[in-house]
């Protein structure tokens, strides 16, 4: 697996950083790949723009940050404004359509836009807080960068005791919904 | 031997775990971004092993407390960032002169002043070397990955203990905060150095009489030796002296003990420097995009090498001198406006062109900008 | 034990003569501490004496203990490291008025607040003697110092009141004139669990005295005799009547949780949770 760069962007408090950590752990611990996760954040813990990055590779990862993302998750309007510019010609973009509306004609040619009501799906599961796990399921399905099995193991090792079932459901919801988008595409 | 454990870990976390593996049993600190995770983890982890953590009233007190603790025999750690590092400097000088082993972590951020607290920089390279007053010896180590942070934290404790010297572990926000795959070695496989203890009878003990290696054996407080430790210049007895000869001998010995150990403590990695026309000299997180740029340049057929010092003080001048003999140009990317480049210039003695590449905007270099520079000087 | 024997026992006699001027009160304070240490039953090899910078802080060099002569103002911070790393050690801090109240004021407050088991002896001679007579926070108002050549305009800081308010277990003030009670306070301070403070009003005829019409040790003692008011008496006097005077006696003696013992509980809790 060649170097694969993922950027998760949204608002502080949405759990992008935790999603990034879980993704990196899935790759590093359960898939035997190399992974680096980093983030940038403002001084505010909640509400400011938040960005997590994950680089995954089967080789050494020299440069630890994202240069041109292979995958971009967008979970707020601000995040699109800030990170929508830095995408490449083949970037796969997943937007949380509950919070952001972008049309295919406003993204560069060659890029692929996926829309899922991530926050809405999390609400339907009973807890908006699992939106990041719904997103994680969708990223796994669309990117194929790590296996669903590895991500599930990584999720279960990170989430608080007693929330395992909820998080498993969230992961499945995101994964299955995204799989149907991918199937349509194919 | 047990199987090594694979984890995803932050640099600050790796530093904490390695300190514990090295036998650290005391931490005193004060909260400051981007080093605070080290304090938080120490607060949680140290008491589990019977160690002790304290959040002091300020940075100065933290530095003082780790020195006091070390004198009782406890391997001691404190961590900070730029502004706090400045406050610690007076007592770092005290540790240098009194030869108290301590490890001080500085997770660098953009400065001067409060600067940009959550963004990386390498602006404290000279402060790490010359921050305290007087002509003091110091060791400064700068790892460039989470794995290296683990290994070099252990090395920092080993050097501090072996040479009775404060060791500065110079991280930066990138290294401190990023999470990376790390293979944690089995504890039994680690080489851990403990300070030399005296076996003299208390009545014969001269606390500052050095062995061949320039390092005096220690006696912990509370073990019956009744030693005097002072920041005044002192003779072998530890008591103050105004004798110019003894003063001269003391300061020279403090430097010589490092000189004698220089080969062992000067850790440098060389990557493809053998045939290189252009050599990058990069440390800490800057070494990561530099390595990336090297690989891209090699693919383009440009002969590029990399000197990646882990020990930046003492400065690895022999390596730079040797490489400069063959290379045409040395490029020094630093997240400051040119600090360690001065040493590269000095050590290369005009044998190669030395060119700086600088960023002070709180962003890590991109491989492309280093590659551009390589192409430009080609 | 006779004084000579005590000196042999507690002092590094080979480091004598000491640096203090003729008439300096610090020898009296150190003598009082020596007698208190003798009576305390502290094992000498388990007792660490820590000092800062200044005339008084040179005392550590003379005492035959594990001694730590640190940086200006920081004795309590170093001592906190010593005590917390090895709570079995008895830790005594020797500090001066400038050392404890100006540059080291913050450490003083927080050592008291933590109530860490350290005994602090403040040698208060109202002046920076080592540097040649500059005013300290303890310099009496309207007196003279080399840095107050037109008379001192700052109010005097009451360190004993500060220690009380910050939560020290034991606080007392004595003088080199009232030397026996001073030594008794020190003994109680040494034996008290928690942070204990004895402020010893000492005389500096060379720098404080000469500028303030008390150029001899005797005159400095006379000043202490005239200005010290026992606590019981001071309680009945008005602020006006107390002007230019200071209170002596035991000012606080309370029992509060001690820091290193509390940290011992933290260790237990951490290890239990681990299991």
């Amino acid at each position: 697996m060649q170097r694969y760069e993922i950027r998760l962007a949204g608002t502080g408090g949405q759990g992008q950083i935790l999603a990034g950590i879980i993704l990196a752990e899935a790759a590093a611990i359960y898939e035997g790949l190399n992974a680096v996760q980093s983030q940038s954040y403002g001084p505010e813990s909640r509400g400011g723009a938040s960005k997590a990055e994950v680089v995954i590779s089967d080789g050494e990862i020299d440069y630890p940050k994202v240069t041109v993302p292979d995958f971009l998750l967008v979970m707020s309007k601000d995040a699109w404004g800030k990170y929508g510019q830095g995408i490449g010609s083949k970037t796969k973009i997943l937007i949380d359509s509950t919070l952001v509306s972008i049309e295919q004609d406003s993204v560069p040619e060659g890029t692929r836009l996926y829309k899922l009501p991530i926050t809405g799906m999390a609400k339907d599961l009973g807890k908006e807080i699992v939106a990041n796990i719904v997103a994680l399921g969708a990223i796994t399905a669309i990117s194929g960068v790590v296996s669903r099995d590895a991500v599930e193991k990584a999720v279960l090792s990170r989430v608080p005791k007693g929330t395992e079932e909820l998080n498993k459901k969230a992961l499945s919801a995101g994964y299955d919904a995204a799989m149907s988008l991918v199937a349509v595409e194919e | 031997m047990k199987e090594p454990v694979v984890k995803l870990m932050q640099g600050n976390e790796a530093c904490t775990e390695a300190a514990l593996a090295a036998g650290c049993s005391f931490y005193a600190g004060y909260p400051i971004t981007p080093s605070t995770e080290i304090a938080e983890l120490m607060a949680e982890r140290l008491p589990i092993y019977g160690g002790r953590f304290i959040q002091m009233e300020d940075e100065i007190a933290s530095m003082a407390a780790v020195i006091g603790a070390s004198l009782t025999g406890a391997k001691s750690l404190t961590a900070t960032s730029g502004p706090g590092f400045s406050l610690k400097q007076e007592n770092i000088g005290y540790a240098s002169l009194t030869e108290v082993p301590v490890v001080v972590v500085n997770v660098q951020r953009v400065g001067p002043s409060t600067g940009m607290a959550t963004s990386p920089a390498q602006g404290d390279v000279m402060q790490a070397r010359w921050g305290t007053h007087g002509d003091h010896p110091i060791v400064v180590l700068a790892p460039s990955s989470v794995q290296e942070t683990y290994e070099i934290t252990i090395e920092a404790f080993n050097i501090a203990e072996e040479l009775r010297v404060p060791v500065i572990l110079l991280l930066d926000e990138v290294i401190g905060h990023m999470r990376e795959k790390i293979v944690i070695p089995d504890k039994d496989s680690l080489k851990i150095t403990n300070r030399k203890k005296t076996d003299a009878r208390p009545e014969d003990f001269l606390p500052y009489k050095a062995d061949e290696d320039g390092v005096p054996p220690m006696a912990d407080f509370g073990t019956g030796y009744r030693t005097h430790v002072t920041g005044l210049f002192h003779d072998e007895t530890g008591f103050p002296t105004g004798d110019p000869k003894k003063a001269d001998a003391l300061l020279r010995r403090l430097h010589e003990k490092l000189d004698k150990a220089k080969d062992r403590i000067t850790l440098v990695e060389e990557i493809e420097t053998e045939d290189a026309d252009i050599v990058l000299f990069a440390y800490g997180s800057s070494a990561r995009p530099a390595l990336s740029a090297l690989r891209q340049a090699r693919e383009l057929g440009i002969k590029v090498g990399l000197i990646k010092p882990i020990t930046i003080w003492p400065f690895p001048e022999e390596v730079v001198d040797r490489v400069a003999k063959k290379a045409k140009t040395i490029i020094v990317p630093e997240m400051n406006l040119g600090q360690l480049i001065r040493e590269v210039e000095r050590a290369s003695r005009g044998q190669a062109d030395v060119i700086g590449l600088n960023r002070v905007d709180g962003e890590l270099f991109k491989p492309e900008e280093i590659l551009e520079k390589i192409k430009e000087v080609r | 034990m006779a004084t000579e024997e005590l000196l042999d026992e507690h002092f590094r006699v080979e480091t004598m003569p000491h640096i203090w001027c003729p008439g300096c009160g610090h020898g009296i304070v150190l003598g009082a501490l020596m007698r208190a240490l003798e009576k305390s039953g502290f094992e000498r090899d388990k007792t660490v004496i820590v000092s800062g910078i200044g005339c008084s802080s040179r005392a550590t060099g003379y005492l035959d203990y594990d001694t730590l002569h640190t940086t200006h103002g920081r004795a309590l911070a170093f001592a906190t490291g010593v005590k917390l790393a090895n709570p079995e050690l008895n830790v005594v801090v020797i500090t001066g008025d400038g050392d404890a109240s100006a540059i080291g004021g913050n450490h003083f407050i927080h050592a008291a607040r933590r109530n860490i088991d350290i005994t602090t002896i403040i040698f208060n001679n109202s002046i920076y003697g080592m540097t040649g007579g500059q005013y300290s926070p303890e310099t009496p108002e309207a007196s003279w110092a080399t840095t107050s050549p037109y008379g001192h305009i700052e109010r005097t800081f009451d360190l004993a009141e500060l220690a009380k308010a910050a939560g020290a277990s034991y606080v007392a003030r004595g003088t080199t004139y009232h030397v026996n009670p001073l030594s008794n306070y020190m003994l109680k301070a040494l034996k008290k669990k928690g942070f204990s403070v004895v402020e010893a009003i000492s005389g500096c005829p060379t720098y404080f005295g000469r500028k303030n019409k008390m150029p001899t040790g005797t005159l400095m003692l006379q000043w202490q005799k005239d200005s010290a008011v026992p606590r019981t008496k001071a309680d009945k006097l008005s602020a006006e009547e107390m002007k230019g005077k200071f209170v002596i006696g035991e000012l606080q003696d309370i029992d509060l949780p001690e820091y290193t013992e509390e940290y011992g509980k933290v260790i237990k809790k951490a290890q239990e949770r681990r299991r």
Side-chain angles (χ1 to χ4, degrees):
Chain A
M1 129 121 262
Q2 293 237 315
R3 184 182 171 100
Y4 195 85
E5 302 187 344
I6 302 157
R7 180 173 282 157
L8 316 165
T11 308
Q14 283 179 328
Q16 274 84 13
I17 292 172
L18 179 62
I21 293 170
I22 292 172
L23 194 57
E25 281 185 339
I29 299 172
Y30 301 104
E31 297 278 27
L33 300 165
N34 285 315
V36 186
Q37 182 275 332
S38 61
Q39 63 241 357
S40 75
Y41 46 84
E44 61 280 79
S45 292
R46 298 284 178 272
S50 162
K51 176 186 79 170
E53 294 186 347
V54 183
V55 179
I56 296 171
S57 173
D58 58 1
E60 293 292 316
I61 299 171
D62 299 328
Y63 186 62
K65 305 256 178 181
V66 168
T67 49
V68 180
D70 296 290
F71 196 103
L72 173 67
L73 168 71
V74 181
M75 285 184 65
S76 79
K77 216 177 144 196
D78 280 356
W80 175 248
K82 216 168 162 189
Y83 303 111
Q85 309 302 313
I87 54 178
S89 58
K90 285 180 185 157
T91 305
K92 290 176 176 173
I93 306 158
L94 170 63
I95 64 160
D96 181 349
S97 57
T98 315
L99 303 168
V100 194
S101 67
I102 305 162
E103 295 310 318
Q104 181 71 49
D105 58 10
S106 62
V107 300
E109 213 173 307
T111 60
R112 183 73 182 84
L113 184 68
Y114 300 86
K115 299 183 206 174
L116 276 181
I118 293 167
T119 300
M121 289 163 73
K123 276 183 189 156
D124 292 345
L125 289 165
K127 288 250 183 204
E128 192 178 331
I129 200 167
V130 294
N132 59 342
I133 305 298
V134 174
L136 198 54
I139 294 167
T140 306
I142 298 165
S143 71
V145 70
V146 284
S147 70
R148 181 183 163 159
D149 189 40
V151 172
E152 189 174 297
K153 281 182 188 155
V155 168
L156 294 179
S157 77
R158 272 280 172 183
V159 297
K161 270 209 165 64
T163 67
E164 291 91 343
E165 276 313 306
L166 174 66
N167 279 290
K168 261 164 100 170
K169 269 189 211 157
L171 189 71
S172 292
Y175 187 87
D176 295 343
M179 271 316 230
S180 57
L181 290 183
V182 174
V184 169
E185 190 181 26
E186 277 156 6
Chain B
M1 214 178 277
K2 280 173 260 164
E3 281 289 301
V5 179
V6 178
K7 281 195 169 179
L8 186 81
M9 218 181 242
Q10 261 191 331
N12 284 346
E13 194 181 351
C15 175
T16 310
E17 292 303 323
L20 292 167
C24 173
S25 63
F26 189 90
Y27 182 97
Y30 187 83
I32 183 168
T33 306
S35 76
T36 310
E37 292 84 2
I38 299 176
E40 289 174 341
L41 285 164
M42 275 299 193
E44 186 188 329
R45 305 273 283 141
L46 266 176
I48 294 171
Y49 306 103
R52 282 140 213 277
F53 166 92
I54 187 167
Q55 183 173 313
M56 293 297 285
E57 53 273 19
D58 60 36
E59 297 276 6
I60 299 171
S62 308
M63 193 62 223
V66 293
I67 296 170
S70 182
L71 283 165
T72 72
K75 290 188 184 178
S76 301
L77 176 74
T78 185
T80 187
S81 185
F85 192 49
S86 296
L87 287 167
K88 287 188 189 309
Q89 290 296 343
E90 184 193 10
N91 284 335
I92 290 174
Y94 184 89
S96 265
L97 184 77
T98 54
E99 299 178 74
V100 178
V102 284
V103 177
V104 180
V105 182
N106 174 2
V107 188
Q108 295 171 96
R109 65 190 221 188
V110 180
S113 195
T114 311
M116 291 201 281
T118 57
S119 302
Q122 296 179 309
D124 298 344
V125 172
M126 285 297 173
Q127 189 189 191
R129 176 62 192 91
W130 299 111
T132 196
H133 51 282
D135 210 353
H136 61 284
I138 198 115
V139 176
V140 183
L141 308 174
S144 66
S145 71
V146 173
Q147 184 76 44
E148 219 167 70
T149 299
Y150 189 93
E151 287 154 12
I152 297 308
T153 301
I154 291 175
E155 197 60 47
F157 274 97
N158 286 350
I159 293 170
E161 291 284 317
E162 182 188 332
L163 299 177
R164 290 188 63 175
V165 66
V167 175
I168 312 296
L169 192 61
L170 205 57
L171 308 183
D172 57 56
E173 192 275 337
V174 173
I175 304 297
H177 276 166
M178 76 180 179
R179 289 180 180 82
E180 199 164 18
K181 182 174 172 174
I182 169 174
V183 181
I184 298 178
D186 179 52
K187 244 191 141 177
D188 299 334
S189 70
L190 298 173
K191 181 189 152 272
I192 303 294
T193 309
N194 296 313
R195 64 189 68 175
K196 254 186 326 196
K197 298 248 171 100
T198 182
D199 52 11
R201 293 180 306 176
E203 55 271 35
D204 301 331
F205 180 53
L206 288 170
Y208 284 94
K209 186 173 166 43
D211 291 341
E212 244 345 65
D213 58 3
V215 184
M218 276 185 96
D220 296 337
F221 278 176
T223 57
Y225 284 86
R226 295 183 200 164
T227 49
H228 185 54
V229 177
T230 177
L232 287 163
F233 270 40
H234 43 268
D235 60 19
E236 292 178 343
T237 65
F239 294 115
T241 177
D243 180 341
K245 265 194 198 147
K246 287 176 173 175
D248 181 87
L250 171 63
L251 198 52
R252 285 183 193 278
R253 176 177 64 73
L254 295 185
H255 285 264
E256 279 160 15
K257 70 177 179 182
L258 256 65
D259 291 344
K260 284 177 181 166
K262 197 177 171 188
D263 288 346
R264 199 167 59 258
I265 65 174
T266 309
L267 310 168
V268 193
E269 251 181 68
E270 280 182 69
I271 296 149
E272 303 194 43
T273 51
E274 201 49 38
D275 65 338
D277 299 321
I278 298 167
V279 173
L280 304 168
F281 180 98
Y283 52 95
S285 63
S286 294
R288 305 289 292 261
L291 191 54
S292 221
L294 177 152
R295 306 235 189 269
Q296 291 172 30
R298 284 272 170 183
E299 268 172 36
L300 299 172
I302 312 171
K303 287 179 180 167
V304 175
L306 170 68
I307 301 174
K308 184 172 86 90
I310 293 167
T311 307
I312 57 176
W313 303 106
F315 185 78
E317 48 197 15
E318 285 84 2
V319 175
V320 173
D321 183 27
R322 173 167 47 72
V323 169
K325 280 191 175 78
K326 285 198 208 158
K328 190 166 73 69
T329 309
I330 301 176
I331 301 173
V332 188
E334 296 182 89
M335 285 191 281
N336 57 48
L337 289 176
Q339 294 197 8
L340 217 49
I341 190 173
R342 292 159 190 268
E343 287 298 305
V344 178
E345 280 166 350
R346 188 180 62 79
S348 58
R349 297 183 296 137
Q351 301 171 105
D353 290 336
V354 179
I355 293 167
L357 183 63
N358 312 91
R359 270 197 101 139
V360 286
D361 59 350
E363 298 281 333
L364 180 62
F365 286 102
K366 290 190 162 48
E368 295 70 41
E369 56 191 308
I370 300 176
L371 186 63
E372 275 311 303
K373 197 72 178 175
I374 290 168
K375 287 180 186 162
E376 192 186 306
V377 303
R378 192 183 175 185
Chain C
M1 226 187 265
T3 302
E4 285 72 20
E5 285 174 279
L6 281 174
L7 281 170
D8 273 345
E9 184 72 15
H10 294 272
F11 279 68
R12 293 161 171 151
V13 282
E14 70 276 15
T15 63
M16 295 288 129
H18 57 68
I19 62 153
W20 296 323
C21 304
C24 173
H26 286 359
I28 302 173
V29 184
L30 195 56
L33 178 60
M34 172 185 75
R35 285 186 286 276
L37 281 165
E38 174 64 26
K39 287 180 196 154
S40 71
F42 280 8
E43 201 182 323
R44 247 183 327 144
D45 289 341
K46 296 288 175 200
T47 304
V48 180
I49 306 182
V50 187
S51 63
I53 293 292
C55 291
S56 58
S57 288
R58 286 299 187 97
T60 43
Y62 309 138
L63 293 165
D64 194 17
Y65 288 80
D66 278 319
T67 49
L68 180 56
H69 178 222
T70 69
T71 48
H72 196 21
R74 318 300 172 199
L76 276 165
F78 281 80
T80 298
V82 171
K83 181 68 188 179
L84 181 57
N86 186 356
E88 284 176 15
L89 299 173
N90 309 302
V91 180
V92 179
V93 164
I94 289 175
T95 177
D97 46 308
D99 203 51
S101 70
I103 189 166
N106 200 30
H107 311 309
F108 185 74
I109 291 168
H110 293 283
R113 178 181 62 80
R114 289 186 192 104
N115 199 36
I116 188 164
D117 189 19
I118 293 171
T119 299
T120 300
I121 311 294
I122 304 165
F123 291 46
N124 179 357
N125 62 359
S126 314
I127 205 85
Y128 285 87
M130 184 72 84
T131 46
Q134 298 75 33
Y135 65 78
S136 91
E138 303 309 307
T139 303
E141 205 174 340
S143 55
W144 304 83
T146 60
T147 45
S148 54
Y150 304 103
H152 191 46
I153 57 168
E154 295 183 15
R155 281 177 295 168
T156 313
F157 202 173
D158 190 327
L159 271 179
E161 285 300 316
L162 178 68
K164 280 166 64 181
S169 280
Y170 181 85
V171 181
R173 184 187 286 124
T175 82
T176 56
Y177 176 80
H178 308 85
V179 64
N180 285 334
L182 178 66
S183 190
N184 291 338
Y185 303 150
M186 288 177 180
L187 177 60
K188 284 187 85 169
L190 290 170
K191 304 208 73 145
K192 183 76 185 183
K193 191 194 289 172
F195 191 67
S196 54
V197 182
V198 177
E199 183 184 358
I201 307 296
S202 176
C204 174
T206 307
Y207 288 114
F208 181 70
R210 259 191 315 149
K211 284 259 175 194
N212 293 284
K213 300 190 179 124
M214 298 180 275
T216 66
T218 344
L219 287 168
M220 294 275 1
L221 287 170
Q222 185 68 47
W223 167 71
Q224 290 166 28
K225 186 189 172 197
D226 296 344
S227 313
V229 181
R231 187 176 63 97
T232 42
K233 196 176 164 193
D235 287 347
K236 293 170 201 142
L237 297 180
S238 67
E240 192 57 35
E241 287 168 312
M242 280 300 289
K243 210 163 182 198
K245 300 191 184 301
F246 53 81
V247 187
I248 56 168
E250 293 186 289
L251 307 173
Q252 183 147 284
D253 190 354
I254 50 175
D255 294 309
L256 294 164
E258 190 276 325
Y259 186 79
T260 59
E261 284 191 1
E262 293 302 303
Y263 198 84
K265 293 178 195 165
V266 169
I267 292 176
K268 249 183 139 180
K269 222 184 264 180
Q271 292 176 340
E272 272 162 17
R273 197 183 297 173
R274 177 78 163 177
R275 264 179 239 126

